[in-house]
């Protein structure tokens, strides 16, 4: 299955600032996915990042708040902009690993103070 | 977005016991089904896919009942290392991750 390197693993940020999360995959993948997992909750898809086109955002998520880059088939970034304490969560990237189902990065635990 | 409902946790089970989790999904057109395991402060990892005929992987058995829209996971001879949160995941028509719906998870604690 694909191996994903995600960083940072955790951060504590001041409200009003922005944080960019990076995911590097060890193989080329068409789509990469960004999820949020709030405390005690299930995973919620934020957006699908396609190489060479705009990301596709799910209901409730907008590009101004969560801009995404996908410069090539092995890399993507998610930025959490103008953060507030409500953005405190775990953010995960994911790719489809064929028969192995969806593989997730190790997650970024964000705390906004 | 359709929902995936799981048994509420936590389940406290003695080591060696058999434990079963249930999951129901609301979209009758759902196509693919998975159980993921998530350890504390870790990312979810695929435990097993769930096939219509049911499938077994060692101590783990998954069953799918399309008529009742019901998925189950059975763990036999439970080990301390089985302690984790188990996520029921359903892939809906259209495929791709935009069709994935995650349950909130069932927290399992295996006690020595």
């Amino acid at each position: 299955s694909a191996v994903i390197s995600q960083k940072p693993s955790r951060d504590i940020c001041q409200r009003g600032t922005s944080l960019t999360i990076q995911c590097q995959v060890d193989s080329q993948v068409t789509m990469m996915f960004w999820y949020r997992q709030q405390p005690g909750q299930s995973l919620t898809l934020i957006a699908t990042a396609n190489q060479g086109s705009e990301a596709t955002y799910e209901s409730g998520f907008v590009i101004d708040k969560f801009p995404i880059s996908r410069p090539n088939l092995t890399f993507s970034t998610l930025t959490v902009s103008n953060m507030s304490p409500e953005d405190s969560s775990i953010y995960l990237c994911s790719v489809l690993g064929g028969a192995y189902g969806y593989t997730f990065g190790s997650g970024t635990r964000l705390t906004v103070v | 977005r359709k929902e995936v409902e799981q048994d509420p946790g936590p389940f406290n089970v003695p080591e060696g016991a058999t434990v079963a989790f249930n999951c129901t999904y609301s979209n009758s057109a759902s196509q693919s089904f998975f159980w993921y395991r998530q350890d504390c402060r870790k990312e979810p990892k695929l435990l097993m896919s769930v096939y219509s005929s049911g499938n077994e992987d060692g101590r783990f058995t998954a069953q799918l009942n399309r008529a009742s829209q019901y998925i189950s996971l059975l763990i036999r001879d439970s080990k301390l290392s089985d302690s984790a949160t188990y996520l029921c995941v359903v892939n809906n028509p259209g495929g791709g991750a935009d069709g994935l719906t995650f349950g909130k998870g069932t927290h399992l604690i295996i006690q020595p």
Side-chain angles (χ1 to χ4, degrees):
Chain A
S1 61
V3 176
I4 303 175
S5 174
Q6 181 174 346
K7 51 184 178 182
S9 58
R10 61 180 62 234
D11 207 342
I12 300 173
C13 301
Q14 296 288 327
R15 66 180 67 199
T17 63
S18 298
L19 175 71
T20 296
I21 302 167
Q22 301 179 0
C23 274
Q24 178 77 49
V25 189
D26 68 343
S27 58
Q28 294 184 337
V29 292
T30 304
M31 292 190 290
M32 293 179 71
F33 311 99
W34 288 97
Y35 287 87
R36 180 174 72 183
Q37 187 175 27
Q38 294 177 305
Q41 300 297 313
S42 60
L43 279 73
T44 301
L45 181 66
I46 297 171
T48 302
N50 306 302
Q51 196 273 332
S53 64
E54 291 278 334
T56 304
Y57 288 83
E58 296 298 301
S59 175
F61 298 97
V62 295
I63 188 171
D64 289 346
K65 177 66 175 178
F66 298 100
I68 286 172
S69 79
R70 185 79 202 277
N72 56 56
L73 291 172
T74 63
F75 186 79
S76 180
T77 68
L78 170 76
T79 299
V80 186
S81 303
N82 187 25
M83 289 183 285
S84 66
E86 292 71 34
D87 294 321
S88 297
S89 187
I90 300 171
Y91 293 85
L92 299 125
C93 61
S94 176
V95 301
L96 178 60
Y100 299 98
Y102 291 86
T103 300
F104 290 85
S106 55
T108 296
R109 186 175 295 272
L110 171 62
T111 302
V112 183
V113 297
Chain B
R1 182 175 291 275
K2 301 297 183 179
E3 292 188 349
V4 174
E5 300 286 343
Q6 294 188 237
D7 277 355
F11 282 29
N12 290 280
V13 176
E15 188 176 11
T18 295
V19 59
F21 303 144
N22 302 317
C23 170
T24 57
Y25 59 96
S26 57
N27 186 345
S28 60
S30 296
Q31 296 177 336
S32 305
F33 310 90
F34 310 92
W35 283 103
Y36 275 74
R37 169 187 170 135
Q38 186 171 25
D39 292 292
C40 186
R41 297 179 178 271
K42 298 288 187 181
E43 73 276 19
K45 293 184 178 178
L46 180 65
L47 177 65
M48 58 197 306
S49 301
V50 186
Y51 303 120
S52 296
S53 56
N55 48 301
E56 185 174 311
D57 183 3
R59 298 181 293 109
F60 299 84
T61 301
Q63 295 282 347
L64 169 63
N65 185 323
R66 286 190 183 271
S68 301
Q69 296 179 203
Y70 173 100
I71 306 160
S72 66
L73 176 68
L74 183 78
I75 305 175
R76 291 182 299 278
D77 187 24
S78 55
K79 311 292 184 188
L80 295 176
S81 57
D82 293 333
S83 297
T85 297
Y86 291 82
L87 303 171
C88 177
V89 183
V90 175
N91 194 351
N92 292 318
D98 59 352
L100 282 184
T101 302
F102 287 79
K104 290 187 177 182
T106 298
H107 189 41
L108 173 65
I109 302 170
I110 305 298
Q111 297 175 331

